[in-house]
Amino acid sequence: MKKFIHHLRKNEKHLLIAVFFSIAMVIIGGILTGTSLSFGRIVLISSIAIMVYLLWFIGVDPIWKGFGLLVFAFGITFIFSELVAMIPINIYDQWLSADTVKGVTFESVFFLLMLKLISKWAGFEPYIEYLVNKEKKKESRS
């Protein structure tokens, strides 16, 4: 596993293939929820976790720290969504229902906020931002 992650860090084409594979797994997980809700949910959560790790935490050393931060972000988001489930229905319908948030769930917004806060707190740059900055530096040198 360690060699594979280091290989993905060095080879951007293979990283892109892995990201496309995880996106395909998200689509497959969505299809599988029609046949088996629990299995489809497991595939969806696993593939989203893989995609987030590849785009955000793959550059974190040591590797176990990246996995730990990913699990921490998912755990905090799960606790947040469980706390939101305790909100009275009239407040939920007024402020948090799908009609008021225009298709973006509050859990996904909270998860992205948690990723940004964790990267600031742990003191690392998300890998996707690192790649963008690397390309900008390459273009500015040319």
Side-chain angles (χ1 to χ4, degrees):
M1 185 67 156
K2 191 177 197 179
K3 289 181 182 180
F4 180 67
I5 290 175
H6 285 294
H7 175 74
L8 289 177
R9 287 179 186 171
K10 292 176 187 174
N11 194 332
E12 293 175 13
K13 288 181 184 177
H14 291 161
L15 177 65
L16 184 64
I17 292 169
V19 169
F20 281 138
F21 175 74
S22 64
I23 290 170
M25 289 301 295
V26 168
I27 294 169
I28 290 169
I31 293 170
L32 287 176
T33 56
T35 58
S36 172
L37 185 63
S38 61
F39 182 65
R41 189 179 298 166
I42 289 169
V43 171
L44 270 172
I45 291 172
S46 301
S47 56
I48 289 172
I50 290 169
M51 187 169 37
V52 169
Y53 181 79
L54 290 174
L55 294 175
W56 205 272
F57 295 110
I58 199 167
V60 176
D61 276 326
I63 294 171
W64 60 266
K65 181 181 175 184
F67 282 115
L69 292 172
L70 177 66
V71 170
F72 180 70
F74 269 105
I76 294 296
T77 304
F78 175 75
I79 291 170
F80 175 74
S81 66
E82 291 298 316
L83 290 174
V84 168
M86 292 186 230
I87 294 175
I89 293 174
N90 58 353
I91 294 173
Y92 183 85
D93 287 338
Q94 185 178 2
W95 295 104
L96 299 174
S97 71
D99 295 336
T100 58
V101 294
K102 307 265 189 278
V104 178
T105 62
F106 55 88
E107 287 99 348
S108 60
V109 172
F110 183 79
F111 183 67
L112 290 174
L113 179 66
M114 283 304 303
L115 288 177
K116 196 63 175 172
L117 288 175
I118 287 172
S119 63
K120 293 287 184 190
W121 170 69
F124 69 91
E125 181 180 29
Y127 196 68
I128 193 73
E129 287 181 20
Y130 166 75
L131 291 176
V132 169
N133 291 338
K134 184 173 142 184
E135 283 297 316
K136 286 181 182 177
K137 287 179 184 176
K138 203 183 283 185
E139 288 175 4
S140 67
R141 290 181 192 163
S142 302

